[in-house]
Amino acid sequence: MKKNILFAVFFSIIRILLADPGWEDCPGCYEFTATISGGIVLNDGEQMGNENDGDIFAAFDEDGNVRGIAIALFPPFGPNEGTCVYEMQMRSNLEGELLSFKYYDASENAVLDIAETYEFVINDILGDVIDPIDFNIGSSGGENEPDWEDCPGCYEFTATISGG
């Protein structure tokens, strides 16, 4: 019995360590940045990601080039205490470029499309660990999705996140 349990644990760990979508980021390849300081990835309303799962949240340009890979944070305070909130530095050489997102689910070894897109704004900061932005796998619009049209004159820079 112990051998079966040890084998199952060993196999699961090896599967997670070997699973990887092969995404490579190139931080020095682009001139400008924008930051997601708090993003939560949802699948049918259920939050994705935990400390040891190996999942990856990333941004891509229209040609499929990686424009940023997120770091999983687990805030020790606030309403998202202990939950997975992603931080990502996105890159571009020009304002207005449309970026899309993908989520790699290591437990399923599957790459999943994110419904929302982002129109690049130089030096933009989206969300934070207290009030993160929701990103949805394969569906559009979450109840906490920001309404960027709500106050168009309130910010120096604006962002557009749209359902896919």
Side-chain angles (χ1 to χ4, degrees), residues 39-53:
I40 292 180
V41 176
L42 302 171
N43 188 8
D44 292 330
E46 183 178 322
Q47 188 170 350
M48 302 290 286
N50 65 52
E51 284 192 71
N52 299 315
D53 64 6

Side-chain angles (χ1 to χ4, degrees), residues 125-141:
I125 298 175
L126 306 171
D128 58 45
V129 295
I130 301 296
D131 188 22
I133 294 174
D134 289 348
F135 292 91
N136 296 277
I137 293 174
S139 65
S140 61

Side-chain angles (χ1 to χ4, degrees), residues 4-104:
N4 289 341
I5 293 172
L6 288 174
F7 178 73
V9 169
F10 176 75
F11 180 73
S12 296
I13 290 171
I14 293 298
R15 189 176 103 182
I16 289 171
L17 291 176
L18 295 178
D20 181 351
W23 298 335
E24 291 188 34
D25 197 7
C26 182
C29 293
Y30 303 97
E31 184 176 358
F32 304 113
T33 62
T35 304
I36 295 173
S37 291
I40 292 180
V41 176
L42 302 171
N43 188 8
D44 292 330
E46 183 178 322
Q47 188 170 350
M48 302 290 286
N50 65 52
E51 284 192 71
N52 299 315
D53 64 6
D55 292 358
I56 303 170
F57 178 49
F60 297 85
D61 64 18
E62 291 178 343
D63 294 328
N65 298 310
V66 175
R67 293 301 185 92
I69 295 179
I71 297 168
L73 304 175
F74 298 88
F77 58 87
N80 298 301
E81 179 178 347
T83 63
C84 186
V85 178
Y86 289 98
E87 179 178 75
M88 181 183 340
Q89 190 102 98
M90 299 174 290
R91 297 167 195 76
S92 180
N93 285 328
L94 64 132
E95 188 151 332
E97 184 172 27
L98 188 64
L99 301 182
S100 62
F101 302 96
K102 293 186 184 292
Y103 187 82
Y104 174 69

